[in-house]
Amino acid sequence: MRTERLVQHLLGLAAACSVAVTVLIFGFMVILGLPLITGGAFFQMFTSPWLPSQAVYGIAPMMVGTVSIAGLALAFSFPVSLGCAALISVLGTGPLPALLHRLVRFMTGIPTVVYGFAGIFVLVPMIREWVGRGSGMCIFSAALLLAVLVAPTMILFFSDSFSSVPKAYLTAADALGATPVQKLFHVVIPCSWRGLITGVVLALGRALGDTLIALMIAGNATAMPGSVLDPARTLTAHIALVVAADFDSLEFRTLFACGIILYVCTTLMVIFTRRVGAVSERRLWRSA
Amino acid sequence: MLRIGRRFYLIMAISTLALLLACSFPVLAGDLDPFAGDAGTVKISGGTAHIPVMKEAAKQIMQHYPNVRITVAGGGSGVGIKQVGEGLVNIGNSGRKPTDKEIAKYDLKMFKWAIDGVGVVVNPKNPVKALSRAQVKAIFAGRMDNWKAVGGTDKAITIYTRDEASGTRAVFWKKAIDKGDITARANVVVSNGAMKSAVANDPYGIGYVSVGHIDNSVMPVALDGVTPTLETVKNGRYKVARGLFSNTRGEPTGLTKQFIDFLFSQTGQKIAAEKGFVTVN
């Protein structure tokens, strides 16, 4: 009884610590970014361009860059991941599913820079030839690579939640004469909403947070991108590029704003996942 | 996030060193003598123009005295100054003179062991071999956006520039384009090496690198009639030049001092010359 209490306390302490660290990091960013907020430049930053020579330190182009690269990556990656996961858990026969599963798990271990190198020497020249102008370093190239990077996260989450659909449901579908594809669309996918959304949000988080791919492939131009074939800079790449600039400068302070935005985005996404997950579960209960 | 980048540079540097250790290199034995019997680590980071010389110097020292570990990382001049100032590394390299504010804040001691030019480069396939200063300014400001306007093919110019922390950028901006604008549409790369591979891979690209980094993969462009080479930087005809600095926090001591002394020794200066820099001794 006593050891149980002790373990409970220890675990509670560990949980409190990790919560405290997260909150402290947020506090740290807010405090260091405070000169911006009190200086009145905080909200202006979200709408203005980045022109350090004219002392205008807006991060609007970087926000657009981040959202478009991550969003496009997800749009590329989601259908492929869904298909892959379906093949692994529901549709595949023979040794293929196991092989695919192993491959995907292996992909999670590939360092980002490897994708980055492949991107610079293979993808970027291809895109440049195909587009016929510019450097080939653009939102489109970065999104394609990022799609490959985030796919394993989604595939593993999707296939896990597909596999955890109760066996009885599948047997019932089989008894009704459903084909495997019908089974996938009418039983498996509706039953694993929660896993799907969690997978998508985690992948989105990874896409928003990734630095290296965008830094190496997206071109890092600070101009507002006009199309997906324009170079762009993400918030994370912006932090990496500016972090070494003159400290104490306003330029440097804006980094904390970037950090705050990324932090708030992630928090909102987590809250959203919880909400949607909870709702879909309740609905499932009601219909069951 | 940034840490991954740094660690990556570090791993790259260490593995390259390990590879290079296999090759041998003639050394004037006397210059390495101060390291005899020493053991310890020297951590170096910062300017990417310095890296070839740092690696070669580290290789020679570690080859003779395996107990001495020298790690070489990149990051850019800003990173070098900041890291040495905060005590994260022993030597912080910069391709520009640290500002008075930085020197005062961190009590920096500067050691200028070579002079380096910053040259405009294009892809070797590009027929444009010379530009006037006004043309370079117009191109980098984004006012001139087709190679046809400067005697090339009818293709859009892609501009490559360096990040805010780059000493190479600082010198190019100050001395080549007279503090003119660099268009926000320019692609930003993070090292001299990355600049070289970007321009080498892009037939319509233009960028600028440390003269020490110019090789067959990129073509230097004459600026107002003067081609950036070791010779023209040395005799002062090519004006876009800067010192290569190794900075320490306070007076260097121990291994750090010995490493800097080595850079100024006959062997160290020979390495700098071989890597395409103008020596100071």
Side-chain angles (χ1 to χ4, degrees), chain A residues 50-54 113 117 120-121 125 128-129 132-138 209-212 215-216 218-226 230-231 233 236 238-249 251-252 262, chain B residues 1-2 4-6 8 12 75-82 86 96 99 101-102 105-106 155-160 162-165 169 173 180-190 194 197-198 200-204:
Chain A
W50 178 261
L51 300 165
S53 55
Q54 293 164 35
V113 292
F117 273 129
I120 281 201
F121 290 107
R128 177 170 53 229
E129 290 309 311
R133 68 180 174 89
S135 60
M137 293 184 177
C138 59
D210 185 79
T211 316
L212 219 52
L215 196 62
M216 291 173 84
N220 302 318
T222 49
M224 179 68 84
D230 279 349
R233 186 185 284 200
T236 47
H238 184 62
I239 295 180
L241 285 166
V242 179
V243 77
D246 195 8
F247 26 82
D248 299 339
S249 63
E251 207 169 338
F252 192 71
L262 287 170
Chain B
M1 289 165 298
L2 190 69
I4 293 171
R6 271 187 207 144
F8 161 60
M12 284 290 286
S77 300
V79 171
I81 291 169
K82 199 178 274 187
E86 278 158 12
R96 60 172 170 84
T99 62
K101 212 166 113 194
E102 285 165 338
K105 179 166 177 181
Y106 291 140
K155 286 281 182 185
I157 301 175
T158 34
I159 300 161
Y160 294 91
R162 288 283 307 279
D163 54 290
E164 276 84 348
R169 175 192 168 118
W173 179 67
D181 284 335
I182 295 178
T183 171
R185 307 204 78 82
N187 292 286
V188 180
V189 293
V190 291
S197 58
N201 278 315
D202 186 344
Y204 313 114

Side-chain angles (χ1 to χ4, degrees), chain B residues 116-238:
Chain B
D116 177 29
V118 176
V120 174
V121 289
V122 294
N123 191 279
K125 286 184 197 137
N126 198 320
V128 177
K129 306 236 183 308
L131 292 168
S132 70
R133 191 175 290 251
Q135 285 171 327
V136 171
K137 272 190 210 172
I139 288 172
F140 276 89
R143 291 193 301 272
M144 202 179 268
D145 58 3
N146 197 304
W147 281 113
K148 210 170 149 188
V150 290
T153 45
D154 185 11
K155 286 281 182 185
I157 301 175
T158 34
I159 300 161
Y160 294 91
T161 185
R162 288 283 307 279
D163 54 290
E164 276 84 348
S166 160
T168 311
R169 175 192 168 118
V171 171
F172 176 79
W173 179 67
K174 201 168 139 192
K175 296 191 175 167
I177 59 171
D178 302 328
K179 303 193 177 182
D181 284 335
I182 295 178
T183 171
R185 307 204 78 82
N187 292 286
V188 180
V189 293
V190 291
S191 68
N192 274 298
M195 177 66 90
K196 208 168 73 180
S197 58
V199 175
N201 278 315
D202 186 344
Y204 313 114
I206 187 168
Y208 50 88
V209 292
S210 145
V211 168
H213 275 72
I214 295 176
D215 59 17
N216 294 333
S217 66
V218 292
M219 193 180 63
V221 174
L223 184 68
D224 281 341
V226 184
T227 311
T229 60
L230 190 57
E231 301 312 313
T232 53
V233 173
K234 199 174 203 163
N235 62 29
R237 283 184 58 222
Y238 188 76

Side-chain angles (χ1 to χ4, degrees), chain A residues 1-2 9 20 32 41 60 63 83 86 89 118 136 139 157 177 189 200 212 223 229 238 259 262 269 286:
Chain A
M1 208 49 204
R2 182 173 282 176
H9 279 289
L32 287 172
M63 287 162 65
S89 317
I139 295 178
F157 256 90
I189 291 182
V200 168
L212 219 52
L229 298 174
H238 184 62
L262 287 170
M269 280 189 311
R286 225 176 289 148

